[in-house]
Amino acid sequence: MQIKIAPSILSADFSKMGEAIKRLNAAGADVIHCDVMDGSFVEPITFGGQMVKNIRPLTKLPLDCHLMIEHPKTQIKFFAEAGADIITVHYEACAKISPTYLRETLELIKFYGVKCGAVVNPDTDVSKIFDVFDICDMVLIMSVFPGYGGQKFIPTALDQLKKARAHAFKIGRGDMDIQVDGGVTEDNAAQIKAAGANVIVAGSTVFKSEDMARTIATLRS
Ligand code: DX5
Ligand code: ZN
């Protein structure tokens, strides 16, 4: 299974975002993880489609947009047209609207020709999204409560990853991308990968590193 490292630009200096993207290109990142926060689903506000549009010409790497927002369906068009390669939406934001809203949103993402994924918070059992695994290109298991970088990894995410990988195998998609997000360090990456994650988001670990390329290689190996 190919391991992909997805540094989160949430930990970059937003006044130097172009420079951060170029550093990630040079350091061997596999994916660029864009944390979109709306000040409602989570407390902070980060950025919207305009940021994705502006960084799009600076990298060939896939732009992975993690939407931590209410009513995600209303924003899909903007992120798709901005050049997102994959868009992930939270089960929790969708379930409070209607039981079909998550699948409808994933279908809308696919309609734009963009890869899609469903996300669960640490206190949402991953079995809640088993019924949309068939349409997902990736599923994202949160290992911190969304909103802030630099939090501590919540160990129950390991069980969630194991369950997600087992279910992927069960439906004949054993090689499906399973992403983990939050609190990943050089010390816990091995057990996270052993639990079934193959797309590893890392914000502070990568951006605080004095040697980004070495840190990305260590997380991957
Ligand atoms: C949290 C975000 C994460 C965050 C990860 O709400 O979704 O992507 O940037 O940051 P670290 O790796 O520092 O926990
Ligand atoms: Zn994220």
Side-chain angles (χ1 to χ4, degrees), residues 3 12 46 60 100 143 204:
I3 304 292
T46 54
K60 291 191 173 70
T100 54
S143 41
S204 39

Side-chain angles (χ1 to χ4, degrees), residues 11-120:
S11 295
D13 178 341
F14 279 31
S15 73
K16 298 179 188 151
M17 193 55 85
E19 201 180 291
I21 301 298
K22 288 175 194 160
R23 285 179 68 207
L24 293 175
N25 286 334
D30 299 296
V31 172
I32 292 180
H33 184 80
C34 304
D35 281 310
V36 177
M37 303 187 187
D38 68 350
S40 178
F41 182 72
V42 290
E43 284 180 327
I45 296 177
T46 54
F47 52 78
Q50 184 68 41
M51 176 69 87
V52 174
K53 193 173 177 180
N54 289 163
I55 63 179
R56 180 68 286 177
L58 306 180
T59 183
K60 291 191 173 70
L61 294 175
L63 298 178
D64 160 30
C65 297
H66 173 196
L67 304 190
M68 288 162 274
I69 65 174
E70 308 282 9
H71 301 280
K73 219 193 269 183
T74 63
Q75 288 295 312
I76 301 308
K77 177 180 192 284
F78 301 108
F79 285 91
E81 290 177 354
D85 295 279
I86 179 158
I87 300 173
T88 61
V89 294
H90 271 262
Y91 164 82
E92 299 81 8
C94 296
K96 65 175 129 174
I97 298 173
S98 84
T100 54
Y101 191 93
L102 175 58
R103 180 171 287 273
E104 288 160 19
T105 307
L106 296 168
E107 282 171 351
L108 182 63
I109 298 168
K110 300 295 264 187
F111 168 81
Y112 282 100
V114 176
K115 290 183 178 172
C116 73
V119 191
V120 282

